[in-house]
Amino acid sequence: MQKLAKLISNKPFVYSLWFGLSLFLVIKGVLAHQGFNNYTIFKYNFLNTIHQHNLYAYQPEHYYDLNHYGPIFSIIMAPFAILPDSIGVILWVLFNAFVLFKAVQLLPLKKDQYVIVLLLCAHELMTASANVQSNPMIAALIILGFNFIKREQDFWAALMIALGAFIKLYGIVGLAFFFFSANKPKFVLSFIFWSAVLFVLPMAISSPAFIIQTYHDWYTDLVIKNSGNQHSVMQEICVTGFIRRAFHYDDLKNMYVIGPALVLFALSYLRIGAYKFLQYQRLILSSVLIFAVIFSSSAESSTYIIAFVGVAVWFMNLNRPVTGFEIFLLVLALLITSLSPSDLFPSYIRTQYIVPYKLKSIPCFLIWLKIIYETLTRDFAKEKESELAPAAV
């Protein structure tokens, strides 16, 4: 057991898994001349912006499916899009892995606990990297928003949250950390400032008229996408999707599930006296990361890197020793949420139950309910945990 404990906390070993698994998959795909459709979509977000082509129109000559990212994403993709695809896609995967690595490393956790968070999430990162997705970056932006607020750097926290929202909307959940800000007026003004900057910045490589029209097109695209998710096999991997499939309730409206979830989430904020405790703040971070995915109709398998970081942070934030029930919840999440899309999981169970019934969402949902319970019942004042000073950026 001691050897195992040393192995899972060994930084070179964990770092190798974190970056190595993702790098292996993308290089394998490049060498096999595998098409990276998602990367091509991302690349053409930039190319279509500079050539002023509709970002949300079908372009079957270049890629299948559609782009669903905001025009600011074109700026993010510019350094990668100008490179040969074989190089650009590798650097893109490594960039996503690195920004999430750095965000987790800067979390206010006990000494080296971030290494365990990385280890718990390494396989889920690999799933996102296999699809060359941007979700690790979105998770990083949410976490960095939290980290900067903890460091009383509200100006940069506002940038992280606004950028996440302007890229993929998920990042807007970072506004939940507003209550932890030591300078709320500065945070609000900073968020307004950065929203204005990010709104106009793509105009530098396009035109004002085109970008303004693009925002209108983006809104229409998201409305249509949300409607289409209900009938998607590989999307709507969320609590609403589970209820629809498990109970044959096809007409279930999203708000019938999201509404009560928002009420439960809001209940956590009733304990105003707990805002000052780091343990409570980390619970809110975990809750936000999980909530953003399990109640989203757009959630797909690779989106769960966002939620799984929340699961890992929750587990490291528990009082020690952890209970058998808490270990059960973590193991369930590792098996059903993280490992089920891989070849390590029985194919029959995956294809007959996990995928059709959207079961990947359920362990995270159970953990989210446990988090809500903890925010309402834990006696943070009596918990003897030394709060670490923020790590240097």
Coordinates of all heavy atoms in Angstrom, one line a residue, residues 28 123 126 339-347 350:
K28 N -0.7 9.3 -32.6 CA -1.1 8.1 -33.2 C -2.1 8.5 -34.4 O -2.0 7.9 -35.5 CB -1.8 7.2 -32.2 CG -2.4 5.9 -32.8 CD -3.1 5.1 -31.7 CE -3.7 3.9 -32.3 NZ -4.5 3.1 -31.3
H123 N -7.6 10.2 -17.2 CA -8.3 9.4 -18.2 C -9.4 10.3 -18.8 O -9.6 10.2 -20.1 CB -8.9 8.2 -17.6 CG -9.5 7.3 -18.6 ND1 -10.8 7.4 -19.0 CD2 -9.0 6.2 -19.3 CE1 -11.1 6.4 -19.9 NE2 -10.0 5.7 -20.1
M126 N -7.9 12.4 -21.4 CA -7.6 11.6 -22.6 C -8.8 11.5 -23.5 O -8.7 11.6 -24.7 CB -7.1 10.2 -22.2 CG -6.7 9.4 -23.4 SD -6.0 7.8 -22.9 CE -7.5 7.0 -22.3
L339 N -14.4 5.8 -17.1 CA -13.9 4.7 -17.8 C -14.9 4.1 -18.9 O -14.5 3.4 -19.8 CB -13.5 3.6 -16.9 CG -12.3 3.9 -16.0 CD1 -12.0 2.7 -15.1 CD2 -11.1 4.2 -16.8
S340 N -16.2 4.4 -18.7 CA -17.2 3.8 -19.6 C -17.0 4.0 -21.1 O -17.3 3.1 -21.9 CB -18.6 4.2 -19.2 OG -18.8 5.6 -19.4
P341 N -16.4 5.2 -21.5 CA -16.2 5.3 -23.0 C -15.0 4.6 -23.5 O -14.9 4.5 -24.8 CB -16.0 6.8 -23.2 CG -16.4 7.5 -21.9 CD -16.2 6.4 -20.8
S342 N -14.2 4.0 -22.7 CA -13.0 3.4 -23.1 C -13.1 1.9 -23.3 O -14.1 1.2 -23.0 CB -11.9 3.6 -22.1 OG -12.1 2.8 -20.9
D343 N -12.1 1.3 -23.9 CA -12.0 -0.1 -24.2 C -11.8 -0.9 -22.9 O -11.9 -2.2 -22.9 CB -10.9 -0.5 -25.1 CG -11.2 0.1 -26.5 OD1 -12.4 0.2 -26.9 OD2 -10.2 0.3 -27.3
L344 N -11.5 -0.2 -21.8 CA -11.4 -0.9 -20.5 C -12.7 -1.3 -19.9 O -12.8 -2.1 -19.0 CB -10.6 0.0 -19.5 CG -9.2 0.4 -19.9 CD1 -8.7 1.5 -18.9 CD2 -8.3 -0.8 -19.9
F345 N -13.8 -0.8 -20.5 CA -15.1 -1.0 -20.0 C -15.8 -2.0 -20.9 O -15.7 -2.0 -22.1 CB -15.9 0.3 -19.9 CG -17.1 0.3 -19.1 CD1 -17.0 0.5 -17.7 CD2 -18.4 0.0 -19.6 CE1 -18.1 0.5 -16.9 CE2 -19.5 0.0 -18.8 CZ -19.4 0.3 -17.4
P346 N -16.6 -2.9 -20.4 CA -17.3 -3.9 -21.2 C -18.2 -3.2 -22.3 O -19.0 -2.4 -22.0 CB -18.2 -4.7 -20.2 CG -17.5 -4.5 -18.9 CD -16.9 -3.2 -18.9
S347 N -17.9 -3.6 -23.5 CA -18.6 -3.0 -24.7 C -20.1 -3.1 -24.6 O -20.9 -2.2 -24.9 CB -18.0 -3.5 -26.0 OG -18.7 -3.0 -27.1
R350 N -21.7 -0.8 -22.2 CA -21.6 0.6 -22.7 C -22.6 0.9 -23.8 O -23.4 1.9 -23.7 CB -20.2 0.9 -23.3 CG -20.0 2.3 -23.8 CD -18.6 2.6 -24.3 NE -18.1 1.7 -25.3 CZ -17.2 0.8 -25.1 NH1 -16.7 0.6 -23.9 NH2 -16.8 0.0 -26.1

